[in-house]
């Protein structure tokens, strides 16, 4: 079992490739802004505010102009004391999945080495602990509980999201991350039985 850095705050990133990269390094609830769509997505911004209020958030955007525009938008909407900023250094190059470098030629979160990201969290003095979850909730558990891949999964998932006061847009992988950071498998089963 691989050890990851356990972070209590929710981590806000720009896109799915950033989330994939980080989920290999940290054990935290990671939310994507989907780039500039955060400027129009009132439901997602409201959810990020809720997370900030409940546990605090960490903002980790790319170090280019777009990343700072997204960061500043979040900073203007959420009380400063609820936010920890994590910054990646300016590293020039091209992400492996892209044919050409970004407009500014800088690597984003997805292009950073694991060690660089770990140092960025250290510099921000993120309170974290290394933790192994001996019995995490898995995709198979969601299937077994009727939340994924079954005929009534969509309705069951919607009911659970309402009960947990989570937005309906939450993907299955984001739900899984949220559940693993907020409850045990036994507690999840109890919640399902209450529905």
């Amino acid at each position: 079992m691989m050890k990851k850095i356990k972070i209590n705050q929710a981590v806000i990133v720009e896109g799915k490739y950033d989330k994939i990269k980080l989920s290999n390094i940290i054990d935290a609830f990671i939310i994507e802004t989907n780039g500039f769509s955060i400027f129009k997505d009132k439901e997602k911004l409201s959810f990020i505010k809720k997370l900030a209020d409940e546990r605090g958030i960490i903002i980790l955007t790319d170090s280019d102009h777009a990343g700072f525009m997204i960061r500043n938008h979040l900073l203007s909407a959420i009380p400063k004391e609820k936010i920890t900023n994590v910054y990646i250094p300016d590293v020039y190059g091209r992400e492996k999945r892209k044919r050409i470098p970004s407009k500014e030629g800088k690597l984003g979160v997805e292009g950073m080495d694991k060690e660089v990201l770990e140092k960025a969290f250290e510099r921000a003095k993120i309170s974290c602990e290394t933790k192994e979850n001996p019995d995490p909730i898995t995709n198979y558990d969601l299937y077994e509980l009727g939340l994924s891949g079954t005929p009534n999964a969509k309705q069951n998932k919607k009911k659970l999201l309402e009960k947990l006061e989570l937005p309906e847009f939450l993907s299955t992988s984001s739900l899984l991350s949220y559940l693993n950071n907020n409850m045990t498998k036994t507690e999840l089963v109890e919640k399902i039985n209450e529905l």
Side-chain angles (χ1 to χ4, degrees), residues 27-160:
D27 175 6
F29 186 45
I30 305 169
I31 292 285
E32 308 155 40
T33 66
N34 295 320
F36 288 139
S37 73
I38 193 65
F39 291 100
K40 294 185 190 127
D41 193 338
K42 303 270 188 266
E43 188 181 3
K44 185 167 277 190
L45 185 60
S46 170
F47 180 53
I48 291 172
K49 285 179 183 178
K50 178 181 187 276
L51 289 170
D53 201 43
E54 289 174 358
R55 61 170 69 190
I57 62 168
I58 293 168
I59 301 175
L60 176 59
T61 57
D62 295 351
S63 59
D64 59 7
H65 280 91
F68 274 90
M69 285 174 69
I70 293 165
R71 184 185 295 270
N72 290 333
H73 178 68
L74 294 170
L75 288 169
S76 69
I78 296 162
K80 306 278 182 274
E81 66 275 7
K82 303 281 185 183
I83 298 172
T84 303
N85 283 291
V86 173
Y87 299 98
I88 57 170
D90 288 338
V91 177
Y92 292 88
R94 173 184 64 82
E95 261 102 23
K96 288 178 186 161
R97 69 179 179 87
K98 296 180 180 172
R99 283 198 346 264
I100 57 170
S102 68
K103 193 165 104 178
E104 294 171 42
K106 296 178 185 178
L107 292 177
V109 171
E110 71 170 279
M112 292 291 139
D113 291 334
K114 178 181 187 238
E115 295 73 26
V116 173
L117 290 168
E118 287 172 343
K119 267 194 192 128
F121 281 101
E122 279 174 34
R123 274 195 310 273
K125 297 184 175 24
I126 302 297
S127 57
C128 56
E129 59 192 73
T130 301
K131 173 191 155 193
E132 290 185 56
N133 184 348
D135 192 23
I137 300 165
T138 65
N139 278 314
Y140 185 73
D141 294 320
L142 296 185
Y143 171 77
E144 285 283 298
L145 293 167
L147 296 168
S148 173
T150 60
N152 295 326
K154 195 172 183 178
Q155 298 91 315
N156 294 342
K157 182 181 168 191
K158 188 174 180 183
K159 285 181 194 168
L160 178 66

Side-chain angles (χ1 to χ4, degrees), residues 18-29:
D18 301 331
K19 181 177 178 176
I20 290 166
K21 178 72 171 212
L22 273 185
S23 62
N24 290 314
I25 299 166
I26 64 172
D27 175 6
F29 186 45

